[in-house]
Amino acid sequence: AQSVTQPDIHITVSEGASLELRCNYSYGATPYLFWYVQSPGQGLQLLLKYFSGDTLVQGIKGFEAEFKRSQSSFNLRKPSVHWSDAAEYFCAVGAVWFSKLTFGTGTRLQVTL
Amino acid sequence: DVKVTQSSRYLVKRTGEKVFLECVQDMDHENMFWYRQDPGLGLRLIYFSYDVKMKEKGDIPEGYSVSREKKERFSLILESASTNQTSMYLCASSPKHRNYGYTFGSGTRLTVV
């Protein structure tokens, strides 16, 4: 069965500092990997996705993520965090041709000024 | 702008009531999903549908049912609402074949009193 682990429930960073959110997955085949962001009271917005090829993928809002097959990880990064990045972030994994996604429990990001 | 629309942002219902949560998408997607989101538990799949009149149980279907009479509309039904169904409910859709991820609605926060 597929699963996603986000080991950090809550992270606090200062505005302008770099950010890395961790995601580890368990999947028996080639995974499709996603990062979503949820602002308070809102639905989820897709930040970026990895299908194949280059293991470093770029997304919206200046985010990027790196796929490391040997570590079963897909960590999200941003070089310089803005106060508006405060939100909850979800990692998800799914199959190539089957659409059901499994989500992690999320990481809440707080940004201090 | 393509979207998934959930009919209510906030709902308050009484214990024992039959509750309908409506979701409409305008992207001609075959797949539609209902998740509930609770703090510390992330997103949990309730039901999903691959086509009109088709439905599949997700991870936590107990106490819920669904209806998909038209391609664009996917309804979640709480047959007899209970306080432990107080939650944020998220609807999502995706195309049938290649897994490009979901498009989410803004969510319905349901409170059962």
Side-chain angles (χ1 to χ4, degrees):
Chain A
Q2 60 199 54
S3 67
V4 175
T5 301
Q6 294 181 247
D8 303 306
I9 297 172
H10 187 215
I11 284 182
T12 300
V13 299
S14 300
E15 189 174 39
S18 63
L19 171 70
E20 183 170 27
L21 302 183
R22 296 183 290 164
C23 171
N24 292 98
Y25 69 89
S26 174
Y27 196 72
T30 300
Y32 274 22
L33 293 157
F34 305 83
W35 274 100
Y36 286 85
V37 61
Q38 184 182 35
S39 298
Q42 300 296 315
L44 277 69
Q45 180 185 18
L46 182 65
L47 277 177
L48 49 79
K49 53 185 181 285
Y50 172 78
F51 292 158
S52 64
D54 192 350
T55 57
L56 185 64
V57 293
Q58 303 296 322
I60 63 172
K61 305 185 180 187
F63 285 91
E64 66 180 25
E66 186 171 14
F67 171 62
K68 293 185 177 179
R69 185 185 299 275
S70 62
Q71 298 177 19
S72 298
S73 69
F74 188 56
N75 294 347
L76 182 71
R77 302 195 295 246
K78 188 170 185 178
S80 178
V81 170
H82 188 263
W83 64 266
S84 60
D85 293 324
E88 191 154 21
Y89 292 79
F90 292 91
C91 182
V93 66
V96 173
W97 295 107
F98 184 66
S99 192
K100 192 172 69 166
L101 295 182
T102 297
F103 288 83
T105 52
T107 297
R108 182 166 296 280
L109 173 65
Q110 183 176 355
V111 180
T112 58
L113 300 177
Chain B
D1 192 20
V2 295
K3 63 176 58 176
V4 176
T5 302
Q6 295 184 231
S7 54
S8 303
R9 290 298 305 276
Y10 300 95
L11 275 179
V12 180
K13 297 293 182 180
R14 295 193 180 276
T15 301
E17 277 193 76
K18 190 170 186 176
V19 180
F20 293 84
L21 303 184
E22 305 289 345
C23 176
V24 177
Q25 50 96 2
D26 64 0
M27 296 167 284
D28 201 34
H29 285 169
E30 289 80 7
N31 301 327
M32 296 188 74
F33 306 84
W34 276 107
Y35 284 84
R36 66 176 282 176
Q37 182 181 10
D38 301 287
L41 297 178
L43 277 71
R44 293 180 291 167
L45 182 62
I46 305 171
Y47 268 96
F48 57 103
S49 169
Y50 294 127
D51 205 343
V52 176
K53 297 191 184 296
M54 294 183 67
K55 59 185 179 183
E56 297 282 343
K57 292 180 180 180
D59 300 319
I60 53 164
E62 296 78 19
Y64 303 94
S65 62
V66 290
S67 172
R68 189 145 181 223
E69 296 296 318
K70 294 184 178 182
K71 187 176 186 179
E72 67 270 19
R73 185 180 297 271
F74 192 36
S75 302
L76 180 69
I77 304 158
L78 286 65
E79 297 290 343
S80 177
S82 64
T83 55
N84 63 13
Q85 293 178 309
T86 291
S87 186
M88 170 72 98
Y89 290 88
L90 293 167
C91 177
S93 71
S94 71
K96 183 174 185 177
H97 296 295
R98 199 168 184 87
N99 191 353
Y100 292 111
Y102 297 169
T103 301
F104 279 89
S106 297
T108 296
R109 183 163 295 281
L110 173 67
T111 302
V112 182
V113 298

